[in-house]
Amino acid sequence: MAVERTLSIIKPDAVEQNHIGEIVAMIEAAGLKVKAMRMTHLSRPQAEGFYYVHKERPFFGELVEFMTRGPVVLMCLEGEGAIAKWREVMGATNPAEAAEGTVRKRFGSNIGENASHGSDATETAAFEVSYFFPGYDL
Ligand code: ADP
Ligand code: MG
């Protein structure tokens, strides 16, 4: 499997509940490298642009509201099969359906407030990493 880069976000709910350290520890324990990291409070246009693929979905307004309500931690992760690996460590979108021990099972509250984000494919990872880390050498 190839070495990949993927975009990870610790969402506002997990930052509010003091879970940054535990989530970063889970990332590192999985063998993924944190290549870049930044804490920021997303503006509405930044969140809307990031989630543009979901703009027609009924939950889009709620999602943007949530993602802009407090600071997030943005990370570029690297490793063998990093895209799938980080999604495995995160667990299913809905915390109720996520496997035991995953980030979303441990720290997510519901399908909207689910503690973390991870890119889902090679193309989206490239877009998402460059969206928040422009100029970062891919
Ligand atoms: P994932 O984050 O697992 O890739 P999606 O790309 O389908 O999931 O959705 C993006 C984000 O939108 C989810 O992580 C979650 O925060 C939110 N979301 C997804 N589905 C719903 C829903 N039915 N109601 C509210 N929010 C949702
Ligand atoms: Mg997604």
Side-chain angles (χ1 to χ4, degrees), residues 4-135:
E4 297 172 336
R5 285 179 179 173
T6 191
L7 196 274
S8 161
I9 306 178
I10 302 177
K11 294 183 176 181
D13 56 334
V15 173
E16 285 158 11
Q17 293 161 41
N18 279 2
H19 295 313
I20 296 172
E22 287 160 291
I23 294 172
V24 174
M26 289 169 76
I27 287 169
E28 295 188 326
L32 293 165
K33 282 258 173 264
V34 178
K35 296 294 287 184
M37 186 182 215
R38 185 169 89 250
M39 192 168 195
T40 188
H41 192 143
L42 298 180
S43 68
R44 179 166 287 273
Q46 266 181 318
E48 287 172 349
F50 180 73
Y51 279 121
Y52 79 97
V53 290
H54 294 309
K55 67 178 186 301
E56 306 303 337
R57 308 282 284 276
F59 58 80
F60 184 69
E62 188 186 326
L63 176 60
V64 170
E65 201 62 43
F66 165 54
M67 291 300 290
T68 57
R69 84 171 183 213
V72 297
V73 176
L74 307 169
M75 282 174 276
C76 172
L77 308 181
E78 185 181 87
E80 289 279 321
I83 297 168
K85 188 177 278 185
W86 170 229
R87 286 195 65 97
E88 197 182 309
V89 173
M90 279 204 305
T93 305
N94 187 349
E97 290 161 13
E100 283 305 323
T102 58
V103 170
R104 284 165 161 176
K105 184 68 168 191
R106 292 180 65 190
F107 308 125
S109 306
N110 55 62
I111 195 166
E113 300 197 12
N114 57 7
S116 57
H117 168 86
S119 312
D120 63 3
T122 312
E123 299 72 27
T124 47
F127 165 75
E128 292 179 357
V129 170
S130 64
Y131 189 84
F132 286 122
F133 297 100

